[in-house]
């Protein structure tokens, strides 16, 4: 058996990609682009995924941060890249579902310009208050808002962010005129809730979970369909009387036009990576739950959410930005 025949036979073996020599694979480093700064949750998740892909495929994956413009720079860059699997991106759902409705001159089309490879993980959004806040369920929130009047408000990590519109949706479902107070990130908003300058905050669960467990904040409810294994002690919105579900997610995409075999190979490698307990534990510490879904399933969920956000934004007072 010559060397070529040996490599072909080895590649056909179960889990061969984990032991196939790098020279039998694509030797070029691949890039995973992230639209946020190093050290943030998306960046951290991408670095974990990159390392596990390296172990499985024997190919180097390098995380490249293109931060700014609220996460838009990564999709703008990746859509122009060669569709050969060497340039990918890990992105949360906002830039792929909400942004077309809040930016007039978005320089990418989320459905047309990218090849969805796999959903990686899901996470929940939370409605957060101080421990002294008088309400714990929908009926009590409605009673509090009637008494609070013009001081009934909620904060978010920024105008036009997913938490902003989660908050307006919760207010609508509760029939409450909650004023939105935008912040530059979740941390200052949570600080103002702890200091009683702000009544409520909507933010990803991970941003508030440790403070909740320390008794410095109280998470009233979360947006998942069921309680998250990340925060099993916290009730869902449905459990406190608000019929609203919105799991956030991270997805892996490449440029449109990637060969089906390349997409399938990446999806298979990711599926194997997401089954590993050490990766699952790394994600759990970030507030993420491994939730693989293949490209067609990811694209279907993306299209559904894209349509949902259109009506939410249109029914709000938000004016699209340039």
């Amino acid at each position: 058996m010559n060397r070529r025949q040996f490599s072909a036979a080895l590649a056909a073996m179960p889990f061969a990609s984990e032991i196939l020599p790098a020279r039998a694979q694509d030797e070029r480093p691949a890039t995973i682009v992230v639209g946020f700064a190093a050290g943030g949750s998306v960046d951290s998740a991408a670095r974990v995924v990159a390392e596990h892909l390296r172990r499985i495929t024997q190919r180097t994956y390098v995380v490249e941060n293109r931060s700014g413009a609220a996460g838009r720079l990564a999709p703008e860059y990746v859509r122009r890249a060669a569709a050969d699997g060497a340039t990918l991106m890990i992105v949360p759902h906002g830039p792929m579902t909400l942004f077309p409705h809040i930016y007039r001159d978005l320089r990418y089309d989320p459905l047309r310009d990218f090849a969805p490879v796999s959903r990686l993980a899901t996470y929940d959004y939370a409605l957060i208050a101080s421990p002294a806040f008088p309400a714990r369920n929908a009926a009590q929130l409605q009673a509090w808002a009637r008494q609070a009047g013009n001081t009934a408000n909620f904060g978010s990590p920024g105008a036009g962010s997913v938490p902003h519109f989660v908050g307006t949706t919760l207010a609508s479902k509760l029939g409450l005129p909650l004023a939105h107070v935008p912040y530059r990130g979740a941390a200052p908003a949570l600080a103002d809730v702890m200091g009683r300058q702000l009544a409520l905050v909507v933010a990803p669960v991970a941003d508030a979970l440790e403070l909740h467990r320390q008794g410095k904040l109280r998470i009233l409810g979360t947006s998942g369909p069921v309680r998250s294994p990340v925060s099993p002690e916290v009730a869902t919105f449905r459990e406190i009387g608000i019929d609203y579900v919105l799991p956030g997610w991270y997805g892996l995409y490449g440029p449109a036009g990637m060969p089906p075999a390349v997409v399938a190979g990446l999806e298979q490698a990711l599926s194997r990576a997401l089954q590993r307990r050490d990766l699952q534990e790394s994600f759990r510490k970030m507030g993420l739950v491994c939730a693989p879904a293949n490209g067609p399933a990811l694209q279907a969920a993306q299209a559904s959410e894209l349509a949902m956000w259109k009506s939410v934004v249109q029914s709000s007072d938000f004016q699209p930005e340039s």
Side-chain angles (χ1 to χ4, degrees), residues 70 94 98-99 102-103 156-165 180 182 313 318-319 321:
L98 174 61
F99 281 14
I102 65 172
Y103 294 106
S156 80
S161 64
V162 171
H164 171 189
F165 292 108
H180 175 234
V313 175
F318 186 83
Q319 296 300 312
E321 301 176 6

Side-chain angles (χ1 to χ4, degrees), residues 122-210:
T122 59
Y123 59 95
D124 291 346
Y125 295 97
L127 183 63
I128 306 151
S130 76
F133 189 71
R136 298 196 179 195
N137 57 42
Q140 292 171 354
L141 279 165
Q142 290 165 331
W144 161 78
R146 285 194 294 268
Q147 184 175 5
N150 292 335
T151 64
N153 57 26
F154 78 94
S156 80
S161 64
V162 171
H164 171 189
F165 292 108
V166 171
T168 61
T169 302
L170 291 174
S172 175
K173 287 185 173 291
L174 289 166
L176 305 179
L178 295 180
H180 175 234
V181 183
Y183 284 76
R184 294 178 63 86
L190 294 172
D192 275 2
V193 166
M194 287 188 285
R196 312 283 181 86
Q197 286 89 36
L198 182 70
L200 299 164
V201 170
V202 177
V205 168
D207 289 340
L209 189 57
E210 190 58 35

Side-chain angles (χ1 to χ4, degrees), residues 60-269:
T60 299
Y61 285 81
V62 178
V63 175
E64 179 177 326
N65 301 92
R66 289 183 173 265
S67 59
R72 286 172 284 164
L73 299 184
E76 289 177 6
Y77 176 79
V78 171
R79 77 171 182 84
R80 299 190 299 267
D84 57 4
T87 304
L88 307 167
M89 71 174 175
I90 289 178
V91 62
H93 63 133
M96 305 303 284
T97 61
L98 174 61
F99 281 14
H101 308 302
I102 65 172
Y103 294 106
R104 293 191 188 94
D105 61 349
L106 196 66
R107 296 172 185 167
Y108 62 89
D109 184 302
L111 292 177
R112 185 189 64 208
D113 291 340
F114 305 98
V117 175
S118 176
R119 186 179 66 185
L120 306 177
T122 59
Y123 59 95
D124 291 346
Y125 295 97
L127 183 63
I128 306 151
S130 76
F133 189 71
R136 298 196 179 195
N137 57 42
Q140 292 171 354
L141 279 165
Q142 290 165 331
W144 161 78
R146 285 194 294 268
Q147 184 175 5
N150 292 335
T151 64
N153 57 26
F154 78 94
S156 80
S161 64
V162 171
H164 171 189
F165 292 108
V166 171
T168 61
T169 302
L170 291 174
S172 175
K173 287 185 173 291
L174 289 166
L176 305 179
L178 295 180
H180 175 234
V181 183
Y183 284 76
R184 294 178 63 86
L190 294 172
D192 275 2
V193 166
M194 287 188 285
R196 312 283 181 86
Q197 286 89 36
L198 182 70
L200 299 164
V201 170
V202 177
V205 168
D207 289 340
L209 189 57
E210 190 58 35
L211 292 170
H212 167 84
R213 288 172 173 163
Q214 293 171 4
K216 297 177 180 180
L217 291 171
R218 179 189 298 152
I219 298 176
L220 303 179
T222 60
S223 66
V226 297
R227 294 193 184 197
S228 170
V230 171
S231 54
E233 73 275 25
V234 179
T236 66
F237 290 146
R238 282 179 170 171
E239 288 181 282
I240 66 170
I242 308 172
D243 187 17
Y244 182 57
V245 173
L246 181 75
W249 48 263
Y250 290 173
L252 181 79
Y253 293 80
M258 284 204 307
V262 172
V263 174
L266 284 166
E267 194 275 327
Q268 183 181 32

Side-chain angles (χ1 to χ4, degrees), residues 22 26-31 50 53-54 57-62 86:
D26 192 332
E27 296 182 359
R28 297 173 301 159
T31 299
L53 285 177
R54 182 195 64 77
T57 67
Q58 300 297 302
R59 184 179 189 181
T60 299
Y61 285 81
V62 178

Side-chain angles (χ1 to χ4, degrees), residues 286-318:
M286 301 175 202
L288 303 173
V289 177
C290 287
N294 64 20
L298 174 58
Q299 188 164 46
Q302 179 188 340
S304 176
E305 191 175 318
L306 189 65
M308 179 273 292
W309 282 128
K310 181 177 181 179
S311 61
V312 170
V313 175
Q314 287 179 344
S315 64
S316 73
D317 295 328
F318 186 83

